[in-house]
Amino acid sequence: QGCTQKYIVKNYFYYYLFKFSAALGEEIFYITFLPFTYWNIDHSVSRRMIIVWSIVMYIGQVSKDILKWPRPLSPPVVKLEMRTNAEYGMPSTHAMAATAISFSFFIATMNQYKYPFELGLVAAFVFSTLVCLSRLYTGMHTVLDVIGGALISTVLLVLLYPAWDTIDHLLLTSPFCPLFSIVVPLVLCYNYPKLDYYSPTRGDTTTILGAAAGATVGFWLNNQYAAPAYTSKSVQPGFLLVASTMVFVLARFFIGILVVLLTRWAMKSVVLGVLGCQYQFPIRDVEARRRLEVEVPYKFVTYSSVGFTATVIVPLLHELLGLM
């Protein structure tokens, strides 16, 4: 599975378009777009996207390892990615994530901000379609995988939408929210479906649930002790087009991303160092880092710290720097 086929790129437009589109369903997109939304657009929109994203992705990842449908054979297809090749194919979690994020963003903003309904709908459709097509172009999924992922995500959105406000209110106000947000994801990660060989799905799922857990605790703390979400004095920057200048927007974004990346690097080093001492393995031992007792706490603590930093530490830093 570590071998790649040789191929010749004949159309660089499609090649870079779909390579870029594939990245819209990966960590680089999540770690930039979701915090950007929280810092520069609207807290409530960001909360709803994170709730939907974490639920949809968990169901998608678990479904892969329960169904165990193989990815397309290579040959005849040429696979342009290798990291996720060890995972099963159905459903496409790229398709699920793209559908969930784009349409939850559209649904959450269409009644709060003035923009043409058709424009928002088309933008969400184009975004999700590009990511779905990228999975076919890169040879990572069949048409059925992609359609299945998009349909499952759509059904979950329809089921979750009526409960959005209730879930959001409970996560902001319930005294049990911090405990629930940490314990439930950890239980789900430690009881993830077992496979006969190592697959990145458990680690990726832990990353997603950890980030959502840290962010949720941050939402709760902000509502309790900083700026309550249900008051007219809530500190929310407003939509980008009517917010402060692009200088402030970019400053908030780049300072925030720098702090988030530093947090990820620092926590990864610290947690791996502690686990390495506890279980007696060198930090660079890839096989040891794949063990359940190492992978789950290492990724959960690292990314819950990232989520917490993005929702609590970075906004405090923005305020101290006069960027709010």
Side-chain angles (χ1 to χ4, degrees):
Q1 291 181 343
C3 300
T4 57
Q5 290 177 267
K6 292 182 179 180
Y7 57 88
I8 298 174
V9 179
K10 295 183 179 179
N11 190 314
Y12 281 97
F13 173 77
Y14 287 134
Y15 177 78
Y16 287 114
L17 172 65
F18 291 124
K19 289 286 282 185
F20 173 77
S21 300
L24 298 178
E26 296 173 358
E27 182 183 351
I28 183 65
F29 176 72
Y30 304 145
I31 209 169
T32 53
F33 178 71
L34 294 176
F36 177 88
T37 305
Y38 190 76
W39 301 329
N40 290 303
I41 298 180
D42 194 298
H43 292 180
S44 65
V45 172
S46 181
R47 290 197 305 269
R48 283 161 172 75
M49 281 199 300
I50 289 173
I51 290 168
V52 171
W53 168 66
S54 58
I55 294 173
V56 164
M57 288 299 288
Y58 175 76
I59 291 174
Q61 295 284 76
V62 169
S63 298
K64 281 185 178 184
D65 290 342
I66 291 176
L67 293 173
K68 298 182 178 180
W69 286 21
R71 289 185 182 271
L73 293 176
S74 177
V77 304
V78 176
K79 294 185 176 179
L80 305 185
E81 298 176 12
M82 296 312 301
R83 179 189 173 276
T84 58
N85 195 38
E87 298 179 6
Y88 289 108
M90 172 61 109
S92 166
T93 46
H94 272 72
M96 293 184 72
T99 303
I101 289 177
S102 60
F103 281 94
S104 61
F105 181 82
F106 167 60
I107 294 168
T109 57
M110 66 181 182
N111 292 324
Q112 296 191 44
Y113 304 105
K114 293 181 179 180
Y115 62 84
F117 175 86
E118 295 78 8
L119 178 62
L121 184 62
V122 169
F125 180 78
V126 169
F127 180 93
S128 56
T129 299
L130 281 174
V131 176
C132 290
L133 290 176
S134 75
R135 308 316 288 158
L136 303 178
Y137 183 88
T138 55
M140 301 310 296
H141 285 286
T142 65
V143 174
L144 187 59
D145 294 342
V146 170
I147 293 175
L151 285 177
I152 292 170
S153 192
T154 301
V155 170
L156 289 172
L157 268 173
V158 171
L159 294 175
L160 287 170
Y161 177 69
W164 265 14
D165 291 338
T166 302
I167 294 171
D168 187 50
H169 179 74
L170 287 173
L171 291 179
L172 288 174
T173 60
S174 172
F176 302 104
C177 172
L179 181 64
F180 179 86
S181 299
I182 298 298
V183 172
V184 172
L186 270 176
V187 170
L188 293 175
C189 292
Y190 274 109
N191 290 277
Y192 194 82
K194 293 180 174 59
L195 298 176
D196 296 331
Y197 65 93
Y198 177 77
S199 167
T201 48
R202 184 184 65 205
D204 290 345
T205 304
T206 305
T207 294
I208 292 164
L209 293 184
T216 303
V217 173
F219 297 150
W220 183 85
L221 279 174
N222 286 338
N223 188 62
Q224 298 296 316
Y225 302 106
Y230 295 110
T231 69
S232 59
K233 296 181 180 179
S234 177
V235 182
Q236 297 191 18
F239 200 62
L240 184 61
L241 296 178
V242 293
S244 55
T245 64
M246 283 297 296
V247 173
F248 279 84
V249 170
L250 293 175
R252 283 195 293 264
F253 175 69
F254 285 113
I255 290 172
I257 287 299
L258 177 61
V259 174
V260 164
L261 293 178
L262 285 173
T263 300
R264 184 179 66 165
W265 170 78
M267 292 305 299
K268 185 180 292 187
S269 302
V270 170
V271 176
L272 274 178
V274 171
L275 291 171
C277 292
Q278 182 177 352
Y279 294 107
Q280 299 298 306
F281 68 87
I283 291 179
R284 298 185 183 277
D285 187 342
V286 176
E287 290 301 317
R289 288 161 60 170
R290 291 175 171 178
R291 286 154 43 188
L292 174 68
E293 65 272 21
V294 174
E295 184 176 58
V296 170
Y298 145 56
K299 294 208 167 184
F300 191 87
V301 173
T302 297
Y303 284 91
S304 60
S305 301
V306 167
F308 184 84
T309 297
T311 54
V312 177
I313 306 301
V314 170
L316 286 175
L317 181 59
H318 287 163
E319 190 171 355
L320 286 174
L321 295 175
L323 295 174
M324 295 300 293

Tab-separated table of all heavy atoms in Angstrom, residues 5-12 15 78 80 137:
chain	number	residue	atom	x	y	z
A	5	GLN	N	1.625	4.527	-8.319
A	5	GLN	CA	1.772	4.355	-9.749
A	5	GLN	C	2.388	5.599	-10.361
A	5	GLN	O	2.183	6.708	-9.891
A	5	GLN	CB	0.403	4.108	-10.385
A	5	GLN	CG	-0.216	2.769	-10.050
A	5	GLN	CD	-1.591	2.663	-10.674
A	5	GLN	OE1	-2.584	2.977	-10.049
A	5	GLN	NE2	-1.646	2.225	-11.915
A	6	LYS	N	3.137	5.389	-11.434
A	6	LYS	CA	3.650	6.526	-12.179
A	6	LYS	C	2.540	7.046	-13.075
A	6	LYS	O	1.766	6.279	-13.644
A	6	LYS	CB	4.858	6.113	-13.016
A	6	LYS	CG	6.077	5.743	-12.183
A	6	LYS	CD	7.255	5.402	-13.072
A	6	LYS	CE	8.486	5.063	-12.231
A	6	LYS	NZ	9.652	4.714	-13.088
A	7	TYR	N	2.457	8.358	-13.178
A	7	TYR	CA	1.424	8.932	-14.024
A	7	TYR	C	1.934	10.238	-14.624
A	7	TYR	O	2.896	10.837	-14.140
A	7	TYR	CB	0.131	9.193	-13.236
A	7	TYR	CG	0.299	10.089	-12.031
A	7	TYR	CD1	0.202	11.474	-12.150
A	7	TYR	CD2	0.543	9.550	-10.770
A	7	TYR	CE1	0.359	12.298	-11.055
A	7	TYR	CE2	0.702	10.372	-9.665
A	7	TYR	CZ	0.601	11.744	-9.811
A	7	TYR	OH	0.762	12.565	-8.720
A	8	ILE	N	1.289	10.651	-15.703
A	8	ILE	CA	1.639	11.896	-16.382
A	8	ILE	C	0.441	12.832	-16.303
A	8	ILE	O	-0.684	12.445	-16.641
A	8	ILE	CB	2.008	11.649	-17.858
A	8	ILE	CG1	3.245	10.749	-17.947
A	8	ILE	CG2	2.263	12.971	-18.580
A	8	ILE	CD1	3.590	10.331	-19.374
A	9	VAL	N	0.655	14.038	-15.827
A	9	VAL	CA	-0.411	15.027	-15.741
A	9	VAL	C	-0.563	15.699	-17.102
A	9	VAL	O	0.373	16.322	-17.604
A	9	VAL	CB	-0.106	16.082	-14.661
A	9	VAL	CG1	-1.214	17.122	-14.614
A	9	VAL	CG2	0.071	15.427	-13.309
A	10	LYS	N	-1.752	15.558	-17.689
A	10	LYS	CA	-2.008	16.149	-19.002
A	10	LYS	C	-2.818	17.438	-18.913
A	10	LYS	O	-2.783	18.245	-19.832
A	10	LYS	CB	-2.733	15.136	-19.889
A	10	LYS	CG	-1.888	13.906	-20.224
A	10	LYS	CD	-2.640	12.969	-21.169
A	10	LYS	CE	-1.780	11.767	-21.523
A	10	LYS	NZ	-2.506	10.829	-22.436
A	11	ASN	N	-3.547	17.599	-17.828
A	11	ASN	CA	-4.345	18.814	-17.663
A	11	ASN	C	-4.070	19.369	-16.273
A	11	ASN	O	-4.627	18.904	-15.283
A	11	ASN	CB	-5.836	18.506	-17.829
A	11	ASN	CG	-6.674	19.771	-17.907
A	11	ASN	OD1	-6.501	20.695	-17.132
A	11	ASN	ND2	-7.607	19.808	-18.859
A	12	TYR	N	-3.192	20.350	-16.208
A	12	TYR	CA	-2.780	20.888	-14.913
A	12	TYR	C	-3.902	21.661	-14.225
A	12	TYR	O	-3.914	21.751	-13.005
A	12	TYR	CB	-1.545	21.784	-15.084
A	12	TYR	CG	-0.274	20.990	-15.216
A	12	TYR	CD1	0.269	20.712	-16.469
A	12	TYR	CD2	0.378	20.500	-14.088
A	12	TYR	CE1	1.435	19.968	-16.597
A	12	TYR	CE2	1.550	19.755	-14.202
A	12	TYR	CZ	2.070	19.491	-15.462
A	12	TYR	OH	3.212	18.741	-15.571
A	15	TYR	N	-5.856	19.024	-12.454
A	15	TYR	CA	-4.983	18.406	-11.449
A	15	TYR	C	-4.910	19.279	-10.201
A	15	TYR	O	-5.165	18.805	-9.085
A	15	TYR	CB	-3.587	18.202	-12.032
A	15	TYR	CG	-2.589	17.624	-11.051
A	15	TYR	CD1	-2.591	16.268	-10.741
A	15	TYR	CD2	-1.645	18.440	-10.428
A	15	TYR	CE1	-1.677	15.731	-9.851
A	15	TYR	CE2	-0.729	17.918	-9.538
A	15	TYR	CZ	-0.752	16.562	-9.246
A	15	TYR	OH	0.154	16.047	-8.349
A	78	VAL	N	-5.672	5.395	-10.886
A	78	VAL	CA	-4.401	5.890	-10.366
A	78	VAL	C	-4.688	6.671	-9.096
A	78	VAL	O	-5.490	7.604	-9.102
A	78	VAL	CB	-3.697	6.801	-11.397
A	78	VAL	CG1	-2.415	7.394	-10.798
A	78	VAL	CG2	-3.384	6.028	-12.664
A	80	LEU	N	-3.768	9.255	-6.329
A	80	LEU	CA	-2.884	10.397	-6.141
A	80	LEU	C	-2.602	10.677	-4.675
A	80	LEU	O	-1.845	11.592	-4.361
A	80	LEU	CB	-3.499	11.646	-6.784
A	80	LEU	CG	-3.865	11.526	-8.275
A	80	LEU	CD1	-4.336	12.864	-8.808
A	80	LEU	CD2	-2.685	11.012	-9.088
A	137	TYR	N	-11.406	12.032	-8.835
A	137	TYR	CA	-10.220	12.376	-9.624
A	137	TYR	C	-8.953	11.781	-9.020
A	137	TYR	O	-8.083	11.291	-9.742
A	137	TYR	CB	-10.088	13.890	-9.716
A	137	TYR	CG	-8.936	14.352	-10.578
A	137	TYR	CD1	-9.098	14.531	-11.944
A	137	TYR	CD2	-7.683	14.613	-10.024
A	137	TYR	CE1	-8.041	14.950	-12.745
A	137	TYR	CE2	-6.622	15.028	-10.806
A	137	TYR	CZ	-6.804	15.196	-12.177
A	137	TYR	OH	-5.753	15.600	-12.957
